[in-house]
Structures are given as structure tokens and as C-alpha cells.
Amino acid sequence: MTTPLPVSTTTLVYIASDQLAQLQDLADRVATPGGDLLRRELERAIVLAEDDCPSTFVRLNSVVEYTDLQSGRTRKLALVLPHEADVDEHRVSVASPVGIALLGLTPGQSVNWMAADGRAHALVVHSVEARS
């Protein structure tokens, strides 16, 4: 299976410095195309200290509402570590294609990518909040 193409490289991606090491470790441990894609996203991310971070951007344990622009479907889910992921509970892994695409985005940003199967994907973020 081929590695999915990277998400849009023109969209700014933010990473909180206090989560960077954890995400890099995860990318190194996940032996899937998702691990490679996460690693590439982290390499191009703008790493910010907590005090310098935008007030709302998608990070681990964020709850994000977004629309899939291909289907028109709006979803609200939490971005979590792989062992916490549960589709029925609306928790998606940060190492999944959707999780990687959403990571670091702010409300109003959109992202596009091509999956390994050749299907185009496009998402737009509406809101981001801390998970309670």
C-alpha cells in the first residue's frame, strides 16, 4: 500500500510545544502510513510555547467541529491518542488520516489531501474547544 499524499502544505499548522515530544514519539512508534504522515506534518508545523499559541487550535484532547466538504456532513469529535480512539464515542486518533489533517488547524481553516486509494478529501474547521 502506498503512503497517502500529504495534506495541503499551504495551510499553517500549529503544535503546542508541550505536546511536540509526545506526538513525535507516537509518529516514530506507529508503523503505518499514518505514522509517516504525522511525522511529515510535525516537521512542517509551527511549534509554539503555550503563551504564544492561538487561543483555539486543534491539538490532542481538543473537541473539533468540522465539515467534510465532499459529503457536506458536519461532525464533532475529540482528537485523542490511538489507544483512546472510539468511533462510537466520537473520539478519533491523532494518527488517523482525519486526525492528522485536523491537527494544528484553527477555526475557519480548511485542508485538502489525497488518500492512498486516490480519493480527494477536504475539511473545514468550524470550532475548537478543550475536551472536558
Side-chain angles (χ1 to χ4, degrees):
M1 173 161 93
T2 60
T3 301
L5 297 175
V7 295
S8 171
T9 55
T10 59
T11 302
L12 293 177
V13 174
Y14 299 104
I15 300 294
S17 61
D18 64 337
Q19 293 184 349
L20 181 61
Q22 182 179 24
L23 291 169
Q24 287 173 326
D25 182 58
L26 175 64
D28 291 341
R29 285 185 293 118
V30 175
T32 67
D36 294 336
L37 188 54
L38 179 58
R39 190 174 308 102
R40 287 199 306 262
E41 283 297 284
L42 293 173
E43 288 170 358
R44 73 178 196 87
I46 298 168
V47 180
L48 299 172
E50 190 63 35
D51 293 343
D52 296 331
C53 290
S55 59
T56 55
F57 71 96
V58 181
R59 60 179 96 189
L60 279 176
N61 298 311
S62 292
V63 175
V64 58
E65 183 175 27
Y66 70 93
T67 298
D68 179 325
L69 298 176
Q70 306 298 59
S71 69
R73 187 174 175 186
T74 298
R75 295 181 178 181
K76 190 172 188 176
L77 52 81
L79 189 66
V80 298
L81 293 170
H83 69 275
E84 298 172 316
D86 184 333
V87 175
D88 294 333
E89 295 293 325
H90 307 281
R91 296 188 310 254
V92 66
S93 169
V94 68
S96 70
V98 169
I100 295 164
L102 292 170
L103 183 66
L105 299 183
T106 60
Q109 283 188 305
S110 60
V111 64
N112 305 297
W113 80 96
M114 187 75 63
D117 64 4
R119 291 188 316 156
H121 295 272
L123 308 175
V124 63
V125 174
H126 300 296
S127 66
V128 180
E129 57 193 60
R131 184 172 150 211
S132 46

